[in-house]
Structure formats: C-alpha cells, structure tokens
C-alpha cells in the first residue's frame, strides 16, 4: 500500500504547474488566481519560499538554476528567483481578456508547449463556468517562433512525452480522454492523434511519466491518481485524501517520490487538507521534466 504523506499544508486555491530541478533539489509549483503565487520548496533543507506574481500564471519550466519560464494569461515570462524579477519574453493572447493560459511544459528539444482556455476567473478571483471551447495548443520553438497545434479546446492539460520522445500525451479535461500523438523530436511536429486512455472517476488533469513509459494522471474530482500503461490500460490507482487532484511530478535524489498538487473544494465534502502538497514514495522511477532552451536574447 502506497502511503500518501502531507508534505506542506500550503492551502492552495488551485495548486498547479509543479516541476522539479535535480540541480538544486527544488520543487516549484503555483497557486493559480488573478495574481498567482509561486512556491519553492528545497527538499534538502525543507525550506519553502513564496513569491507573489503580477498576473494569472499557470505553468512552469526550469531554464537554469536561478530562472524559470512561467506561462501566464499574457504569454511567456522569465522569472529570476534571486531578485524576484518577472519579465515578459513573448506575448500570447495578451489582448484577449476572455482567455488565459493553463498547463504547459518543455519538450526534450527545449521548446515550450502551452495550452490556453476560457478565463474562468472573475475580477475577484471567483469561478466562472466554462462554456466556450476557445482554447488553443501552442508550440513555441527555441527561436521563439509560435505555431498553433490544436484549436477549440476546453481545458488543456497533461504535457507529457514518452521516454524515447516519440509520443506526446495531452488531454482536454472537458472531453475526459487522454490523447496520444506521434511526436517528431527534431521538428516538433505532431501526427496520428489517437484516444489513449479513459477512466470513470473524475476528470483527467495534469500528468507525469515514469521510466517504464507509464502515465501518472491526476483526477480532478476523482480523489485519486491513475497509472496508465503505455497501451492505455489502468495499472494502478492511488487513493488520495482530497477530491481535486491537479498535477504531479517525480523528484528527489532517486526520482522515486511523486509530488502532488491539489486544489480547494467549495462543495460540502471539503476538508482541511484541500490545497495541500502531498508526496508518495514509490517503487517506480520517474523522468525529470525537460528544461527550457528558449533563446531569449
């Protein structure tokens, strides 16, 4: 039985965008709102830091030991940790007040992939029902060229590549299916879109992958994490103590600890652990997130 441990009682409204850097043994994740917050937790010292951000920031990618690429409702940004500098490097849908960014991540070539969706926050940060499939899947090449890979999305989530970088896994949470694409690393082209996996509990949110090529998918509203085999079969279900499981990443010295973000729950069955950061020690080894190689100068 896998033991789920409370790592940090951070009380996130919408914990998301978690990534890990083995260079400094740091976890980074976000609490998404109209002015998001960035969390940093050093796993060696157990010291945490909190950074206030100026806009809706939803996804992270490590660029260096002192720099992160942050996806926001206005595009891509460079955040320098040591001096807390937040700098716009690329505008994406910055003129569209009706949309915001959501999940994203870097491929092994260093490109950044980003999903957008209908903005579901009002001016006070309260939820707005998502009614319009107006999101897009963007690819940002390392030379900062932007292209659109998918349109008509509801809630884009899960930016995961297979260990050999021949498959890309992605989901529109509103559709309930995890998709697979053939992925060409050199060009970044996607092809052969297929239904990969579906599960009856909750909705597919963020994911990560292990060295066996199995997808670990967080289930929004489903109180669990599901491990899917490379053929899309359910291999394992890990029960979680809260309802809204949002994203996960492997980290730690042996890459065998799964770190999980969660969100608050405004429904009747909410509990004090909602929005916490959790950890599970596993017998599986994860693959570290790819680093950003965007050429910003």
């Amino acid at each position: 039985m896998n033991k789920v441990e409370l790592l940090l009682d951070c009380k996130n409204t919408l914990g998301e965008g978690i990534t890990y850097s083995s260079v400094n043994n740091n976890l980074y994740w976000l609490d998404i709102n109209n002015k998001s917050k960035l969390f940093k937790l050093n796993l060696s010292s157990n010291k945490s830091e909190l950074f206030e951000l100026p806009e809706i920031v939803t996804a992270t990618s490590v660029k260096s030991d002192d720099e992160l690429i942050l996806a926001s409702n206005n595009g891509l940004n460079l955040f320098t940790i040591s001096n807390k500098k937040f700098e716009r490097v690329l505008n994406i849908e910055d003129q569209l007040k009706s949309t915001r960014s959501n999940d994203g991540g870097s491929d092994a070539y260093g490109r950044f992939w980003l999903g957008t969706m209908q903005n579901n926050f009002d001016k006070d940060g309260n939820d707005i029902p998502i009614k319009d499939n107006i999101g897009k899947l963007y690819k940002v090449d390392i030379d900062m060229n932007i292209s659109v890979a998918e349109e008509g999305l509801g809630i884009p989530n899960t930016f995961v590549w297979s260990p050999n970088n021949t498959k890309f896994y992605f989901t529109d949470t509103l559709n309930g299916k995890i998709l697979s694409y053939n992925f060409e690393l050199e060009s970044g082209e996607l092809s052969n879109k297929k239904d990969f996996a579906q599960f009856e509990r909750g909705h597919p949110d963020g994911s990560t992958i292990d060295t066996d090529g199995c997808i670990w998918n967080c289930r929004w509203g489903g109180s669990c994490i599901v491990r899917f085999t490379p053929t899309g079969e359910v291999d394992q279900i890990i029960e979680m103590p809260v309802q809204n499981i949002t994203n996960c990443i492997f980290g730690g010295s042996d890459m065998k600890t799964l770190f999980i973000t969660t969100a608050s729950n405004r429904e009747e069955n909410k509990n004090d652990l909602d929005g916490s950061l959790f950890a599970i020690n596993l017998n599986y080894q994860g693959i570290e997130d790819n680093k950003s190689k965007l050429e910003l100068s």
Side-chain angles (χ1 to χ4, degrees):
M1 192 73 177
N2 297 304
K3 183 181 179 183
V4 180
E5 299 180 4
L6 174 65
L7 191 61
L8 192 66
D9 183 14
C10 46
K11 300 191 185 307
N12 292 162
T13 299
L14 180 53
E16 264 287 5
I18 191 165
T19 194
Y20 169 74
S21 175
S22 59
V23 175
N24 44 28
N25 206 24
N26 283 338
L27 277 178
Y28 303 97
W29 73 98
L30 298 159
D31 188 9
I32 301 176
N33 210 305
N34 281 334
K35 291 188 176 181
S36 295
K37 297 174 182 178
L38 172 69
F39 289 78
K40 182 183 84 169
L41 176 64
N42 182 267
L43 297 177
S44 301
S45 66
N46 206 34
K47 180 183 177 182
S48 63
E49 290 184 71
L50 174 64
F51 305 90
E52 303 283 348
L53 302 173
E55 55 199 52
I56 305 172
V57 179
T58 61
T60 63
S61 182
V62 174
K63 183 161 176 60
S64 73
D65 58 357
D66 192 40
E67 296 172 316
L68 300 175
I69 296 294
L70 301 180
S72 77
N73 59 309
N74 292 308
L76 296 187
N77 311 273
L78 180 68
F79 185 74
T80 306
I81 299 164
S82 57
N83 63 9
K84 304 179 184 179
K85 184 180 180 182
F86 182 90
E87 177 185 5
R88 180 96 65 250
V89 295
L90 189 65
N91 291 327
I92 300 176
E93 296 191 10
D94 55 306
Q95 301 301 315
L96 297 179
K97 303 304 179 187
S98 59
T99 65
R100 68 167 176 86
S101 59
N102 202 49
D103 204 359
S106 296
D107 66 26
Y109 201 79
R111 307 175 190 89
F112 192 85
W113 296 73
L114 164 67
T116 63
M117 59 178 283
Q118 176 198 318
N119 186 4
N120 61 329
F121 295 124
D122 67 15
K123 62 182 179 61
D124 298 316
N126 299 312
D127 288 340
I128 298 172
I130 299 172
K131 299 179 179 179
D132 300 318
N133 291 349
I134 55 176
K136 295 180 180 180
L137 172 61
Y138 290 92
K139 176 180 67 175
V140 181
D141 290 313
I142 58 174
D143 64 359
M144 305 296 277
N145 179 64
I146 309 171
S147 56
V148 176
E150 291 278 9
E151 298 186 69
L153 301 175
I155 308 176
N157 273 305
T158 291
F159 286 68
V160 172
W161 289 264
S162 62
N164 63 3
N165 293 301
T166 62
K167 295 287 185 182
F168 172 62
Y169 300 98
F170 175 75
T171 187
D172 182 342
T173 297
L174 292 185
N175 288 341
K177 296 177 181 178
I178 300 175
L179 306 172
S180 71
Y181 300 74
N182 289 349
F183 177 69
E184 212 292 309
L185 179 61
E186 291 300 314
S187 66
E189 293 301 314
L190 302 179
S191 62
N192 196 28
K193 177 181 176 181
K194 291 182 178 180
D195 291 347
F196 169 71
Q198 198 165 5
F199 187 66
E200 69 276 5
R201 282 177 55 184
H203 307 277
D205 208 315
S207 301
T208 192
I209 196 164
D210 62 30
T211 54
D212 296 325
C214 292
I215 306 294
W216 296 76
N217 176 241
C218 299
R219 308 299 297 186
W220 176 273
S223 302
C224 66
I225 299 168
V226 182
R227 185 184 195 240
F228 293 104
T229 69
T231 57
E233 302 299 317
V234 174
D235 175 75
Q236 190 172 149
I237 302 169
I238 296 179
E239 301 293 338
M240 295 291 294
V242 299
Q243 185 172 7
N244 294 327
I245 319 303
T246 56
N247 214 332
C248 60
I249 195 72
F250 279 95
S253 58
D254 59 2
M255 291 295 293
K256 289 185 176 181
T257 302
L258 190 67
F259 299 95
I260 305 111
T261 55
T262 64
S264 63
N265 187 355
R266 295 182 175 90
E267 299 175 9
E268 292 180 2
N269 56 345
K270 63 183 179 181
N271 67 55
D272 291 340
L273 293 178
D274 288 340
S276 297
L277 179 73
F278 295 93
I280 310 171
N281 292 318
L282 297 166
N283 292 324
Y284 304 97
Q285 189 171 50
I287 296 176
E288 188 170 352
D289 272 358
N290 299 306
K291 302 296 188 291
S292 170
K293 297 176 184 175
L294 297 182
E295 298 170 349
L296 304 182
S297 56

